Amino acid sequence: MKKILFALLFALTVYLTARFFSHASGASLGGVLALIFTIPLPLWLGLAALTCLFYMLDWIRLRSMLAVLGHPLRFAQGLKLTCVSYFVTSLTPSAELHTPAMMFMLTRQGVPMPQALAASVSKSIYMTLWICLVSCVTLTFGHAIPLPAALQVGLPLLTAPLLGIALLLALMAFFPGPVMRWTGRRASTMKDGSLWQKILLGIGQSAHAISAIGKSTDVQHLVCHLASVVFLLTYVTIGWLLATHFGFSLNWLQALTIFSTSLMVAYLAPVPGAIGVAEVATSYMLDPALTPQGMAVSVTLRVLCWYLVAVPGAAVLAREFHRAGAWKLPKVFS
């Protein structure tokens, strides 16, 4: 019953958000849906193949990070983790639940907590850095699409927090010793066995695992970066195909700029799952008038590359919680 309620609540949230933004933009939801239903079967088949590739690359990225640390990840396990990832990312403005959820799922599969944390964080940071790099470079130097002056000025500020996190990750990768000593000192002042003490000790242990990833010359490290680039290009290709169908004539630079920025907004917007914000931002870049055709592109793109696996992710996570039992959950941090 809880699984059904989770799915219904998420679907209702997406529906109400779509109704709100369609009303605000003047593009009725019914009109947008009617346009989506005009997509021919051959195009749907091509989009389906690209969507499968899109999610498979998510598995490859996490699999490669775990492989560097010596932990295998089967395809079925990776698919479950991908579904859970998109679900929990849609629950809070800054995806705070993503890392704990991945740690919970991975430790359930036998991966030690420090390695689970290191692999999950590294995979996410690598992907986000690639997205922001491509988007910011094309927006700043490509001049493929016009941006409001306020956004041009504020663009560096949008990525400043991410760059700070990336710098912290680099420090942990190349100087894990100070991190481990600091967390050890802080943990020694806390009550033995307390949850926060376990979390601090876990972070210290994870610094060693992050260092192993950051300094690794294993080919799997390169695989993660290549998969990140192909992941972004797959998203851009899906967006370009949809835009072409709905009458937008885009050259390669325009498509790369618009849809890499669309993905950057989806990752960084301070709204749970960027629901609504990513759709409107994508539609605006296609046509500032926020036409039904632009909304049809953005809504279809987001359904294929976000919402499609979020609802199954709720069911997968609920099932794992049920299997674990509430009394076992603190062992995630042991």
Side-chain angles (χ1 to χ4, degrees):
M1 186 62 183
K2 290 181 181 179
K3 298 175 187 178
I4 297 175
L5 289 175
F6 267 125
L8 289 176
L9 181 61
F10 183 83
L12 181 63
T13 301
V14 174
Y15 172 75
L16 291 176
T17 304
R19 284 295 300 268
F20 172 78
F21 280 105
S22 66
H23 175 74
S25 66
S28 70
L29 182 59
V32 171
L33 291 176
L35 284 170
I36 293 173
F37 288 135
T38 66
I39 298 176
L41 180 59
L43 180 54
W44 275 123
L45 293 176
L47 294 173
L50 287 169
T51 301
C52 290
L53 175 62
F54 179 82
Y55 291 117
M56 187 174 73
L57 287 163
D58 195 281
W59 161 67
I60 290 173
R61 285 158 46 216
L62 182 56
R63 176 185 176 276
S64 62
M65 290 290 89
L66 288 169
V68 171
L69 298 173
H71 298 285
L73 181 66
R74 297 196 305 272
F75 177 73
Q77 294 172 324
L79 181 59
K80 291 180 180 179
L81 288 164
T82 296
C83 293
V84 170
S85 172
Y86 280 88
F87 169 66
V88 296
T89 302
S90 302
L91 296 180
T92 57
S94 302
E96 294 91 347
L97 295 177
H98 178 267
T99 299
M102 292 298 99
M103 289 164 59
F104 169 69
M105 294 290 292
L106 286 168
T107 52
R108 291 277 297 160
Q109 297 174 12
V111 179
M113 190 279 288
Q115 283 85 352
L117 175 61
S120 175
V121 169
S122 299
K123 170 232 180 189
S124 297
I125 291 296
Y126 284 166
M127 183 71 257
T128 311
L129 284 174
W130 273 109
I131 291 170
C132 290
L133 175 65
V134 174
S135 174
C136 291
V137 168
T138 53
L139 282 172
T140 304
F141 302 107
H143 304 292
I145 60 172
L147 286 179
L151 184 57
Q152 289 180 349
V153 173
L155 188 61
L157 296 177
L158 292 176
T159 55
L162 178 67
L163 294 176
I165 295 173
L167 178 60
L168 178 61
L169 187 69
L171 289 174
M172 293 178 69
F174 292 98
F175 306 100
V179 176
M180 297 177 69
R181 288 192 293 272
W182 181 84
T183 55
R185 286 196 302 269
R186 292 288 298 171
S188 65
T189 65
M190 298 178 177
K191 181 181 178 181
D192 288 341
S194 67
L195 179 60
W196 283 110
Q197 185 189 58
K198 291 181 179 180
I199 291 174
L200 270 176
L201 291 174
I203 292 173
Q205 295 166 4
S206 298
H208 180 72
I210 290 174
S211 178
I213 291 175
K215 296 177 180 178
S216 174
T217 57
D218 192 306
V219 69
Q220 293 296 334
H221 202 167
L222 177 61
V223 167
C224 184
H225 285 286
L226 289 176
S228 297
V229 174
V230 178
F231 179 89
L232 172 59
L233 293 178
T234 302
Y235 185 89
V236 171
T237 302
I238 293 172
W240 175 75
L241 287 172
L242 287 168
T244 300
H245 170 73
F246 287 113
F248 295 96
S249 180
L250 304 177
N251 59 41
W252 69 269
L253 181 57
Q254 288 173 321
L256 185 62
T257 304
I258 290 171
F259 295 112
S260 64
T261 305
S262 169
L263 201 52
M264 182 175 74
V265 171
Y267 271 58
L268 299 183
V271 175
I275 297 173
V277 176
E279 286 86 340
V280 172
T282 305
S283 180
Y284 175 85
M285 288 185 289
L286 287 167
D287 187 345
L290 296 178
T291 61
Q293 289 77 12
M295 290 297 291
V297 173
S298 61
V299 168
T300 307
L301 179 62
R302 286 277 286 167
V303 168
L304 291 176
C305 297
W306 197 284
Y307 306 133
L308 188 64
V309 298
V311 173
V316 171
L317 185 60
R319 185 181 184 186
E320 286 300 319
F321 272 114
H322 177 71
R323 285 180 171 180
W327 63 275
K328 292 183 179 179
L329 296 185
K331 291 190 175 182
V332 172
F333 301 101
S334 62

